[in-house]
Amino acid sequence: MTSTAFRLRQMLFGWGGVGLVYNLSDRFQGPGLVLEPGVIDRLIPYSPHAVWPYLSFFLIVPLALLNCPAERLRWLRSAFQAAALAAGTVFMLWPTTLAYPDYAAAGLSGTLLAGLLAVDSPQNCFPSLHMALTTLAILALRDPRRPLRSLLLWAWGALIGLSILQLRRHLAIDLASGVALGFAAAWLCRRWLAPATLTQGAPS
């Protein structure tokens, strides 16, 4: 049984570490290279209402940290940190940005979007840490014995990814690289923690 206090500490060091790397890399990097939209990006229409599934990212990450099996918790924290360090290195060496649309929107969606834009970086596009952490959260929560639950989790992740494209916060290439980063961090940390966790059911 893992205490809530222990899980909160893992959240602080895991998710908090991601925020630290993200903000420091944004603060000290140079001007970003403007990435050009690809075919997939041009096919998906912009919608400010996509802010709702986009913000559900801030539910799936703490859900994973607070509810994943106990034997996966240290793995998840370490994978978050590894993904952040790898992405932060890219952000510093090769900063990227986008030609953003006019984000003016009315109603509650517009208010939420304005709040998001106030705290989100206009750079740090490639790779998408948003998608990397979503991938890791799903890997931590999935259960091969409950295929429907795992399918719903992947559908949730796909919805978050679609919302990112609809809001024009990232391009498809950023999302693909973020998913790849998530899987790479998962594999690396599983290997690193294997002596302690392999026999306890760490994610494969």
Side-chain angles (χ1 to χ4, degrees):
M1 187 72 175
T2 305
S3 71
T4 300
F6 180 75
R7 287 184 178 272
L8 289 174
R9 285 198 299 273
Q10 301 309 303
M11 183 183 296
L12 174 63
F13 292 121
W15 201 12
V18 171
L20 180 64
V21 171
Y22 184 88
N23 284 285
L24 286 177
S25 61
D26 180 58
R27 183 180 182 86
F28 294 109
Q29 68 190 188
L33 172 70
V34 179
L35 299 176
E36 294 296 328
V39 175
I40 296 175
D41 307 297
R42 291 191 290 269
L43 287 174
I44 297 175
Y46 166 73
S47 172
H49 301 297
V51 70
W52 294 94
Y54 181 97
L55 291 176
S56 73
F57 163 82
F58 295 99
L59 294 176
I60 197 170
V61 169
L63 181 69
L65 287 160
L66 294 175
N67 292 278
C68 73
E71 64 271 13
R72 296 182 179 180
L73 189 54
R74 292 183 187 274
W75 165 85
L76 183 60
R77 179 212 63 204
S78 299
F80 274 9
Q81 293 169 334
L85 289 173
T89 300
V90 177
F91 296 157
M92 293 295 294
L93 297 177
W94 190 54
T96 50
T97 188
L98 302 178
Y100 294 104
D102 179 6
Y103 279 116
L108 186 55
S109 294
T111 301
L112 286 173
L113 186 53
L116 170 66
L117 297 175
V119 299
D120 200 16
S121 169
Q123 300 201 156
N124 292 354
C125 291
F126 180 93
S128 169
L129 256 180
H130 204 101
M131 210 62 216
L133 300 190
T134 298
T135 300
L136 287 168
I138 294 170
L139 290 174
L141 288 169
R142 69 186 178 88
D143 186 346
R145 298 167 300 179
R146 301 172 67 182
L148 180 58
R149 167 179 160 168
S150 298
L151 180 61
L152 290 174
L153 285 168
W154 285 116
W156 186 0
L159 183 62
I160 291 174
L162 176 61
S163 72
I164 293 172
L165 296 180
Q166 288 181 300
L167 283 179
R168 300 292 189 266
R169 298 310 296 164
H170 287 280
L171 301 180
I173 191 173
D174 305 329
L175 266 61
S177 62
V179 172
L181 175 60
F183 275 103
W187 178 84
L188 178 67
C189 289
R190 180 180 183 273
R191 298 276 294 184
W192 178 41
L193 296 173
T197 63
L198 188 57
T199 60
Q200 301 174 17
S204 58

